[in-house]
Amino acid sequence: MSTFRALGVEGIPEVAAGDDLAELLLAGSVDGLPVAEGLRDGDILLVTSKIVSKAEGRIVLADDREAAIDAETVRVVARRGRTRIVENRQGLVMAAAGVDASNTPSGTVLLLPEDPDASARGLRKRLRELTGARIAVLVTDTFGRPWRNGLTDVAIGAAGLDVLEDHRGRTDSHGNELALTVTAVADELAAAADLVKGKATGRPVAVVRGLGHLVTEEDGPGVRPLIRNAAEDMFRLGTSEAIREAVTGRRTVRRFTDEPVDGGAVRRAVAAAVTAPAPHHTTPWRFVLLEDPDTRLRLLDAMLAAWNRDLSALDGWSAERIATRVRRGDVLRDAPYLVVPCLVTEGAHDYPDAARAAAEREMFVVAMGAAVQNLLVTLAGEGLGTAWVSSTMFCRDTVREVLALPAGWDPMGAVAVGRPADVPPPRPERGAETFIAVR
């Protein structure tokens, strides 16, 4: 039966900037022996990042911890009051960018090592020189975890160890092939070692023994394989941050790929759309999903004929001007999926005067706009691009006829949906002050 031991390293003195950390470790003992004698080939040394940072001089004066966090932050993932989960300059997503105000003199904060992988490689090399032992080194830090309460140690730097073990292609005890299982070995080791290190025992180093088969001759790629890139991270933002990103990142798309659109994603977006506010406790939205290619083509052809007919009747409109205007509808023809939002004003109040009647309709139109905005933002969150164009509003009777819609359904444009064919150029940040009047 496979077994391993986790051993705390005792007697390590206080670490200061410029110290040779490997030399200090030799002052300690492991398994009752001085480290120089106690380290064995195949041991895995786990070192708390705090003492690595201290040795590397990563202590900075900072009366304002928040300013230090700002300086170490690349991207805010989530914020709740003063608590921030961020991506730091090492590429790690964690609370407060790893800036720590504990176990450091008052008025200072401790930053993570500049390059934890390099720190692990350097310590491994130096200990090999001093002891002759072929070991692996992990630099660890304390993390919170999505979905679960409580903290645990994880690896933030590694040398001499494959941090992931890929089980895909293997079979389980029942003969089932494993298709998804990749184990975070380095994090499992960090958590196990933390049981004998502890947060307040003055024991910042541990040795895991009995898993020598995990130790590699080369230093390896470090912890980089453990860090999921943003494109693959389904939880790369907190809820409110994801909504804000979807809102600010939503752009009108004019060119789409031919990749099919998942109708389920559109239905989820409609479910979000119909949570919009509406007057008089009504539900004035209907969404026609054009999933049948023949129906969509018949609608677009009929709309094109109506546009040409109506524009040709206008005085002063040349054939060229009409063709230019009609081409604006090409985005609908080229998109793989169309949605026609319709306004239904059932429940509207009747007013005898035109002004009040117009205001009543405007209330419903505003509700329609809110619903469509919910739709567009939710589709953006699904990774889909959209273009909301006014086309159907100029030939409502034609749209109702082709789609066999009730007379009370009022088409309010059309939304083209698909995967964007181009990456949109950066949009300058638009501050709120220009659009605010305070009285």
Side-chain angles (χ1 to χ4, degrees), residues 110-133:
L110 196 60
L111 310 181
L112 290 180
E114 187 75 37
D115 183 345
D117 284 330
S119 301
R121 290 193 296 268
L123 185 55
R124 183 191 194 213
K125 179 181 178 182
R126 183 74 174 126
L127 285 169
R128 182 71 179 265
E129 293 170 354
L130 294 173
T131 68

Side-chain angles (χ1 to χ4, degrees), residues 94-376:
M94 60 192 308
V99 175
D100 198 342
S102 63
N103 294 308
T104 185
S106 178
T108 68
V109 295
L110 196 60
L111 310 181
L112 290 180
E114 187 75 37
D115 183 345
D117 284 330
S119 301
R121 290 193 296 268
L123 185 55
R124 183 191 194 213
K125 179 181 178 182
R126 183 74 174 126
L127 285 169
R128 182 71 179 265
E129 293 170 354
L130 294 173
T131 68
R134 175 180 161 273
I135 64 172
V137 173
L138 295 180
V139 178
T140 71
D141 199 61
T142 303
F143 271 49
R145 300 158 298 158
W147 312 299
R148 297 180 72 84
N149 290 320
L151 305 174
T152 188
D153 260 26
V154 303
I156 66 168
L161 184 93
D162 290 328
V163 296
L164 294 174
E165 184 174 4
D166 193 344
H167 298 267
R168 291 173 297 185
R170 304 179 190 177
T171 55
D172 63 18
S173 58
H174 295 281
N176 302 309
E177 183 175 335
L178 301 175
L180 298 174
T181 305
V182 180
T183 305
V185 175
D187 287 346
E188 291 179 326
L189 288 165
D194 198 47
L195 294 173
V196 297
K197 285 192 301 176
K199 304 299 180 190
T201 59
R203 194 184 301 122
V205 180
V207 170
V208 169
R209 178 166 293 162
L211 299 175
H213 63 283
L214 298 175
V215 178
T216 61
E217 190 64 38
E218 301 299 322
D219 285 336
V223 299
R224 210 39 59 181
L226 281 169
I227 300 174
R228 182 173 289 144
N229 64 52
E232 297 174 345
D233 189 353
M234 294 177 67
F235 308 97
R236 64 181 296 266
L237 293 170
T239 303
S240 59
E241 290 74 20
I243 292 171
R244 281 197 294 273
E245 181 165 291
V247 171
T248 58
R250 191 208 63 76
R251 307 287 287 275
T252 296
V253 174
R254 297 297 180 186
R255 290 198 329 114
F256 299 94
T257 70
D258 57 4
E259 182 181 346
V261 170
D262 174 21
V266 179
R267 285 165 173 79
R268 289 191 292 273
V270 171
V274 299
T275 65
H280 314 317
H281 306 289
T282 60
T283 54
W285 324 278
R286 304 293 185 272
F287 293 89
V288 184
L289 311 184
L290 299 186
E291 297 182 337
D292 176 57
D294 292 338
T295 301
R296 188 177 74 173
L297 185 60
R298 282 193 296 109
L299 174 65
L300 295 176
D301 285 347
M303 288 169 59
L304 178 61
W307 294 338
N308 278 313
R309 181 188 66 243
D310 294 342
L311 293 175
S312 298
L314 297 177
D315 291 337
W317 279 62
S318 65
E320 182 179 1
R321 185 180 180 188
I322 292 171
T324 299
R325 185 62 177 270
V326 167
R327 274 198 301 273
R328 294 180 182 177
D330 287 349
V331 66
L332 301 179
R333 198 171 289 273
D334 296 338
Y337 199 105
L338 294 183
V339 178
V340 178
C342 295
L343 177 64
V344 177
T345 57
E346 296 170 357
H349 293 174
D350 291 327
Y351 290 101
D353 59 293
R356 287 174 179 265
E360 179 74 4
R361 177 173 172 77
E362 286 173 357
M363 289 168 56
F364 281 81
V365 172
V366 167
M368 187 78 245
V372 173
Q373 174 73 347
N374 284 1
L375 180 86
L376 302 184

Side-chain angles (χ1 to χ4, degrees), residues 9-90:
V9 177
E10 307 285 352
I12 298 173
E14 183 64 29
V15 179
D19 283 345
D20 183 331
L21 188 55
E23 288 274 10
L24 288 182
L25 290 179
L26 295 185
S29 63
V30 59
D31 204 17
L33 295 172
V35 169
E37 302 173 26
L39 274 185
R40 304 178 186 174
D41 285 348
D43 282 350
I44 301 168
L45 187 76
L46 297 104
V47 183
T48 302
S49 64
K50 276 190 178 67
I51 64 170
V52 178
S53 294
K54 288 180 177 180
E56 295 179 357
R58 295 284 284 164
I59 299 177
V60 297
L61 292 172
D63 293 329
D64 183 2
R65 180 170 177 255
E66 297 303 310
I69 295 171
D70 289 340
E72 294 294 302
T73 294
V74 172
R75 174 175 63 89
V76 175
V77 174
R79 184 193 302 267
R80 298 294 181 272
R82 290 175 62 84
T83 300
R84 280 185 283 172
I85 307 298
V86 305
E87 178 185 344
N88 65 14
R89 293 193 290 110
Q90 289 85 356

